[in-house]
Amino acid sequence: MTDDMKKRGRIMRAPENFLDAGLALEITEKGLNEERRGFLRKSFLAASAALATGSLSRHAAASAPLDGDPNILTLPEHSTTLGKPVAANPYGMPSRFETNLLRRESPGLTRVNAASVSFTPLQGLFGIITPSGLHFERHHQGWHDIDPSRHRFMVNGLVKNPKVYTMDDLMRLPSVSRIHFIECGANTAMEWGNVAVPAVQYSHGMLSCSEFTGVPLSVLLDDCGYDKKTAKFILAEGADGSGMTRTIAIDRALDDVIVAWGMNGEMLRPENGYPLRLVVPGVQGVSWVKWLRRIEVGDKPYATKDEAIHYIDAMPDGSYRQYTSIQECKSVITTPSAGQRLLDKGFHNITGLAWSGRGKIKRVDVSVDGGKNWRTARLETPVLSKCLTRFNIDWIWDGSPVVLQSRAIDETGYVQPKINELRAVRGTKSIYHNNAIQSWKVAASGEVFNVQVY
């Protein structure tokens, strides 16, 4: 370890729950214009300043004990008393000191919270697995806790033997478990035009990664005798009030799609589709139909409401691209990231996540000078197909202003683009599939801000 690395820097976390309720309502009702975008940033900065005042005083008190650290010299109460009994909490919960780390709703995206989004706090997670309780949500008509004994799943259309399955029927079949990311097609949507949100939770938090368990859809299609000559597409339908339906090509359906009931070793959570959902690795989250009730096999795309007028890409010439569902190669630095603050010069670990809907991540490069120079980061195992990959790289901060970026490359050779490269093809009026390089500016004060570098 070098002398510079021995001087380990500390990072103050980003503020939580900083948004005034009145401003949140105004943004939701009237949208996110420049004035309200400014108020949003000011609210975040004020919360950051308040957090910094308390954090710095605590660090100062803890870092300079006069006669040795009392937390070492004096045994605390928990070392001299009896602790809580086994199964005091029959279902384990996080520590009371970690209660601020929550998924949170962002204003301005939808008019009602039953058809809205909650964001995963990427800045506070480790590794690649998202805890089930922090998995992001996107609902179109609210969520329900469905009685699994009454839930039914049907396969019909171009099949010899249309069938209706109970949950017991499905769970008796041979199952598989695989780890995959799921990303909403609108993730990072608010950054298309300009910097909009003040933290990675809100810019990239429509992203999670879990182990899913279920039966391959190919097994069910074979069980029903799908028409191999004429079948070209399937239609997946959910049981929620929105009547969510999505077209999926038959080749993909037969490849790695799962009809899943399990997530992270237990049954799906209600917000994530309990008791049954579709898992479509590499494809935008809207195709991962929740509360799955039906698969219809057909010979052409269905062009339903959720793919004819929603989840389509606005192009510069006024046209729209349809069925662009693959989530392209993307990455983001989660620490240091906007809202956090570097408290010291010296050694810091830059860490983040990379993913690609086309396969494995091959390499992640990191820049500390706004993209002028790049160094290759370490990819932490496991590196799996269509799965989040954690990357890390050592960095010595000398106290000068810098711009941090990460650039992912997948096994197909695709390179994550800069924002100006993406806009040259897609314009600035898009909503979906923003996979541009994200920039975080570290000021001389140590504060980290969301910026765009062209």
Side-chain angles (χ1 to χ4, degrees), residues 12 21 29 32-33 53 59 72 96 152 176 272 283 308 312 329 362 384 390 394 401 415 426 442:
M12 186 185 72
E29 291 180 344
L32 196 62
N33 62 11
T53 300
H59 280 300
I72 288 290
R96 59 192 173 97
R152 299 293 183 267
V176 296
N272 300 122
V283 169
I312 53 179
C329 186
K362 181 180 179 181
L384 304 173
R390 172 70 62 175
D394 302 336
V415 180
R426 300 278 305 282
V442 182

Side-chain angles (χ1 to χ4, degrees), residues 252-309:
R252 180 169 298 281
L254 295 171
D255 181 16
D256 53 7
V257 174
I258 304 171
V259 174
W261 54 79
M263 187 171 85
N264 294 337
E266 62 180 2
M267 291 296 288
L268 291 161
R269 298 290 176 92
E271 311 96 293
N272 300 122
Y274 178 87
L276 200 66
R277 81 171 305 165
L278 207 60
V279 170
V280 192
V283 169
Q284 60 186 349
V286 69
S287 293
W288 296 45
V289 175
K290 292 178 288 188
W291 312 291
L292 183 67
R293 68 177 299 271
R294 186 169 69 98
I295 293 289
E296 180 179 321
V297 181
D299 58 358
K300 58 185 177 182
Y302 287 81
T304 65
K305 64 179 177 63
D306 297 298
E307 52 201 16
I309 60 175

Side-chain angles (χ1 to χ4, degrees), residues 61-74:
S63 62
L66 297 177
D67 298 310
D69 189 340
N71 291 300
I72 288 290
L73 298 177
T74 304

Side-chain angles (χ1 to χ4, degrees), residues 42 61 68 112 166 174 181-182 185 198 224 249 253 263 266 281 304 320 389:
K42 288 177 182 177
V112 293
T166 66
F181 79 84
I182 172 175
C224 294
M263 187 171 85
E266 62 180 2
T304 65
Y320 289 87
T389 297

Side-chain angles (χ1 to χ4, degrees), residues 27 30-34 36-37 40 107-108 190 196-197:
I27 292 173
K30 300 179 181 179
L32 196 62
N33 62 11
E34 284 303 316
R36 286 184 282 276
R37 185 178 281 116
L40 185 64
M190 290 185 286
V197 289

Side-chain angles (χ1 to χ4, degrees), residues 131-196:
S132 295
L134 295 177
H135 193 291
F136 86 92
E137 303 165 88
R138 170 66 170 114
H139 307 312
H140 293 81
Q141 193 73 15
W143 62 271
H144 298 273
D145 193 359
I146 295 173
D147 181 350
S149 69
R150 300 178 61 189
H151 187 68
R152 299 293 183 267
F153 171 65
M154 177 170 61
V155 178
N156 67 347
L158 298 177
V159 296
K160 292 179 181 178
N161 303 301
K163 290 189 178 182
V164 174
Y165 299 86
T166 66
M167 288 300 300
D168 287 339
D169 292 334
L170 295 171
M171 295 178 73
R172 280 196 292 265
L173 295 171
S175 65
V176 296
S177 294
R178 292 199 301 267
I179 303 174
H180 292 295
F181 79 84
I182 172 175
E183 181 183 20
C184 179
N187 201 23
T188 323
M190 290 185 286
E191 305 294 299
W192 266 111
N194 202 344
V195 171

